[in-house]
Amino acid sequence: MDWRKQINFGTKKVPAQPAVPETGLSVEFLLGLFAAGWTEQQVLEKYPALTSSKLCAVLATADSKLVSSIANPELLEMIERTIE
């Protein structure tokens, strides 16, 4: 999976906060949901435009230190799926 195709970074002239196209949801916002204890299933139910592969792209985009600081078992499993 090429996660770069699933995240919008803006352009060189107009950089944007990394976000999932077609949803308007930023990587930072989605990571915040996981940090607050949301599960993958809860996120997917609340935001039906998201998919598991898009959430994996969010994790691939995120800074590894940030992700490790909020990691829970489910989040670690999602990270493993991005590596496969």
Side-chain angles (χ1 to χ4, degrees), residues 1 9 13 19 23 28-37 44 54 56 66 74 78 81-82:
M1 167 182 74
F9 293 95
K13 290 184 177 184
T23 68
E28 180 181 14
F29 173 77
L30 292 167
L31 289 175
L33 294 179
F34 287 113
L44 294 174
K54 288 179 181 178
C56 287
L66 174 63
E74 183 179 8
M78 289 176 65
R81 289 197 314 248
T82 67

Side-chain angles (χ1 to χ4, degrees), residues 28-53:
E28 180 181 14
F29 173 77
L30 292 167
L31 289 175
L33 294 179
F34 287 113
W38 285 47
T39 66
E40 178 183 11
Q41 189 62 35
Q42 288 172 315
V43 173
L44 294 174
E45 286 174 3
K46 178 71 176 178
Y47 302 101
L50 289 173
T51 63
S52 289
S53 65

